[in-house]
């Protein structure tokens, strides 16, 4: 199940809930004050792939040289 992060406007608490998408609004209650005046917090995320795997050969460089960019074929 996904983890959602919220901020409570009443007590300034930041908290997380584990809930399905369908039930996340019903479960978004501040655990400190019980308030429902909460807003979702959008944080960063990490993608587990390197740019060299995403575009093999586009960012290759030899030791001691600046990287060179090779545009994709037909582009």
């Amino acid at each position: 199940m996904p983890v959602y992060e919220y901020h409570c406007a009443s007590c300034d608490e930041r908290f997380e809930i584990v809930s399905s998408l369908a039930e996340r609004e019903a479960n978004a209650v501040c655990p400190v004050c019980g308030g429902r005046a909460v807003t979702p917090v959008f944080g960063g995320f990490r993608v587990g792939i390197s740019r060299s795997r995403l575009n093999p050969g586009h960012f290759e460089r030899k030791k001691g040289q600046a990287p060179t960019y090779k545009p994709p074929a037909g582009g």
Side-chain angles (χ1 to χ4, degrees):
M1 287 224 187
V3 176
Y4 299 99
E5 189 172 353
Y6 285 90
H7 175 260
C8 180
S10 302
C11 68
D12 203 35
E13 180 72 17
R14 225 172 147 154
F15 62 96
E16 296 177 342
I17 60 168
V18 178
S19 180
S20 67
L21 181 62
E23 297 174 348
R24 76 175 178 167
E25 293 303 318
N27 294 337
V29 179
C30 178
V32 175
C33 70
R36 290 196 164 269
V38 297
T39 55
V41 176
F42 298 102
F45 62 92
R46 183 177 175 200
V47 177
I49 188 168
S50 67
R51 68 179 183 180
S52 62
R53 287 188 61 204
L54 186 62
N55 296 318
H58 290 262
F59 296 97
E60 293 177 355
R61 70 174 168 168
K62 294 180 182 173
K63 190 173 183 177
Q65 293 181 349
T68 57
Y69 174 71
K70 299 175 192 171

